[in-house]
């Protein structure tokens, strides 16, 4: 199916005959593949009598060679899948079957993309970035402190370098533009965090998505919507690799405290009145910043308190 998709990705009309000739198959084989594109990948194909077939909108597919050829790209081995349940789940499966980190899995689409706090991450084909990096972490819990915030910082730098200048962070690692989510991070661990373990850094970025076909349950935006132009996802992967390798190296050498000021300087909700959802009773307070381990610091009824944990989530209070 991929060779056919490559021919169609320009969004122009191609006759069944020309497609068949280019791929060395019959016109009816082309027709079957086109049906599969629609059914399996959710890609609408338009057919006009006398002109042929074209995709509803042009695509720029992810290309391993293009990413690998980028001089500045970190040389983590990379695989690109057409469709997968979740790139994080795929990485965890590969780790369980003995695949040695570091490595990256990218997908053109996810059928069960995972977000934080059990949410779904909407992942249509060919539009956005679904990226999971597997790393080995040794040195116990200290090596993990603040790591999820550092990943958010690297992602923010990559977005700003790509031109999304107004992007900022929301604790712990959401990236927002004008209150709308553009990217998120889901870290998953396997093994013993107190000893040697594997870390999966899952990053989802709304890159070229302009239309929500399924009903995303929060305000969102995309790089394309912010920049007014289609973004080359291959280039963005290289930039993300570059920033992640830089920030992860800094974190390993100096720990989160060395990046704490930079993180707080990019935190959109410093000083704001917020409500922290904890799973139990929500906590109302004012955001003071983050501590040296990346926990959020709130002033609650005049007292400074810190909170940490993957299931926590902030929202602005109504009076904010
Ligand atoms: C969030 O809720 O903000 C985190 C979203 C993380 C989504 C990414 S997409 C690539 C990777 N694979 C997944 O299933 N989830 C993460």
């Amino acid at each position: 199916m991929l060779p056919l998709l490559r021919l169609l990705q320009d969004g122009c009309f191609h006759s069944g005959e020309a497609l068949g000739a280019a791929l060395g198959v019959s016109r009816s084989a082309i027709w079957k593949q086109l049906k599969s594109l629609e059914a399996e990948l959710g890609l609408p194909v338009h057919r006009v009598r006398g002109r042929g077939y074209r995709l509803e909108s042009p695509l720029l597919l992810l290309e391993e060679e293009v990413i690998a050829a980028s001089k500045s790209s970190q040389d983590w081995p990379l695989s690109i899948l057409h469709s997968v349940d979740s790139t994080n789940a795929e990485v965890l499966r590969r780790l369980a079957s003995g695949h040695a980190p570091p490595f990256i899995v990218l997908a053109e689409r996810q059928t069960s993309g995972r977000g934080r706090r059990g949410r779904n991450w909407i992942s249509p084909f060919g539009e956005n970035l679904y990226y999971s990096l597997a790393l080995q972490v040794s040195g116990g819990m200290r090596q993990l402190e603040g790591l999820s915030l550092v990943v958010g910082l690297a992602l923010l730098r990559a977005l700003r370098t790509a031109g999304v200048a107004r992007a900022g962070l929301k604790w712990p690692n959401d990236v927002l533009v004008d209150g709308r989510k553009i990217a998120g991070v889901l870290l998953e661990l396997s093994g013993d965090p107190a000893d040697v373990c594997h870390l999966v850094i899952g990053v989802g970025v709304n890159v070229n998505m302009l239309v929500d076909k399924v009903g995303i349950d929060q305000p969102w935006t995309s790089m394309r919507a912010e920049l007014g132009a289609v973004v080359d996802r291959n280039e963005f992967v290289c930039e993300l690799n570059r920033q992640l390798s830089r920030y992860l190296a800094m974190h390993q050498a100096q720990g989160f405290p060395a990046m704490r000021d930079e993180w707080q300087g990019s935190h959109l909700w410093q000083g704001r009145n917020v409500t922290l959802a904890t799973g139990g009773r929500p906590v109302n307070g004012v955001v003071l910043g983050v501590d040296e381990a990346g926990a959020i610091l709130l002033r609650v009824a005049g007292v400074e308190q810190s909170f940490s944990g993957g299931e926590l989530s902030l929202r602005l209070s109504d009076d904010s």
Side-chain angles (χ1 to χ4, degrees):
M1 213 145 57
L2 188 60
L4 177 60
L5 207 47
R6 284 222 169 85
L7 294 173
L8 287 172
Q9 67 175 325
D10 58 9
C12 299
F13 277 107
H14 297 264
S15 70
E17 204 174 343
L19 292 170
L23 300 179
V25 298
S26 66
R27 281 171 59 181
S28 72
I30 292 290
W31 188 80
K32 276 191 198 139
Q33 285 193 36
L34 288 166
K35 286 277 139 220
S36 308
L37 283 184
E38 288 190 305
E40 286 170 33
L41 304 180
L43 272 178
V45 178
H46 289 204
R47 181 180 178 203
V48 174
R49 202 175 282 278
R51 298 189 73 186
Y53 304 96
R54 74 168 177 81
L55 292 181
E56 188 176 78
S57 22
L59 281 176
L60 231 174
L61 292 170
L62 292 167
E63 302 282 356
E64 236 169 279
E65 301 73 34
V66 177
I67 298 169
S70 156
K71 266 207 317 276
S72 50
S73 185
Q74 173 72 24
D75 59 358
W76 289 314
L78 176 115
S79 6
I80 299 173
L81 306 174
H82 258 134
S83 181
V84 71
D85 52 353
S86 142
T87 53
N88 271 25
E90 175 63 20
V91 163
L92 287 167
R93 284 191 291 268
R94 290 184 184 198
L95 288 168
S97 67
H99 219 94
F103 62 89
I104 296 174
V105 173
L106 300 177
E108 290 288 8
R109 116 168 151 151
Q110 299 183 116
T111 52
S112 305
R114 316 213 269 233
R116 285 182 66 235
R117 306 169 69 233
R119 294 170 99 145
N120 291 331
W121 188 258
I122 302 303
S123 311
F125 188 94
E127 298 191 11
N128 297 329
L129 187 65
Y130 320 117
Y131 170 113
S132 296
L133 166 64
L135 293 175
Q136 176 155 313
V137 183
S138 39
M141 289 304 278
R142 273 206 85 73
Q143 278 306 320
L144 295 171
E145 270 181 8
L147 192 62
S148 94
L149 280 72
V150 170
V151 171
L153 203 47
L155 173 57
L156 176 70
R157 288 287 157 232
L159 283 161
R160 287 194 180 159
T161 305
V164 189
R166 288 178 314 119
L169 293 166
K170 178 195 139 189
W171 187 87
N173 49 26
D174 283 352
V175 188
L176 309 181
V177 181
D178 290 336
R180 293 192 295 260
K181 186 143 164 176
I182 193 166
V185 175
L186 178 68
L187 298 189
E188 298 190 66
L189 280 175
S190 72
D192 179 1
D195 187 20
V196 176
C197 67
H198 292 147
L199 173 69
V200 184
I201 296 178
V203 177
V205 183
N206 297 332
V207 182
N208 288 319
M209 183 163 72
L210 287 182
V211 178
D212 168 15
K213 294 182 185 141
V214 286
I216 297 175
D217 60 358
Q218 56 187 329
W220 65 275
T221 185
S222 67
M223 295 175 74
R224 182 174 175 187
E226 296 305 318
L227 299 170
V230 172
V231 173
D232 183 332
R233 290 177 303 146
N234 292 302
E235 272 175 27
F236 187 70
V237 170
C238 297
E239 187 54 35
L240 183 59
N241 281 346
R242 200 178 298 131
Q243 297 293 351
L244 275 172
S245 78
R246 189 162 85 88
Y247 276 91
L248 290 171
M250 277 198 287
H251 181 256
Q252 197 167 20
Q254 305 166 57
F256 179 66
M259 285 163 272
R260 182 180 170 201
D261 285 349
E262 184 184 347
W263 193 93
Q264 291 185 151
S266 301
H267 192 211
L268 296 164
W269 289 6
Q270 290 288 110
R272 303 289 300 267
N273 291 330
V274 295
T275 302
L276 182 73
T278 62
R281 257 184 48 189
V283 177
N284 295 307
V286 177
V287 177
L288 301 176
V290 290
D291 72 10
E292 303 231 311
I296 188 87
L297 295 174
L298 301 183
R299 191 170 58 240
V300 182
V303 179
E304 181 175 317
Q305 291 186 32
S306 71
F307 300 85
S308 63
E311 292 309 301
L312 300 180
S313 145
L314 288 182
R315 65 174 170 77
L316 290 174
S317 302
D318 299 339
D319 59 349
S320 179

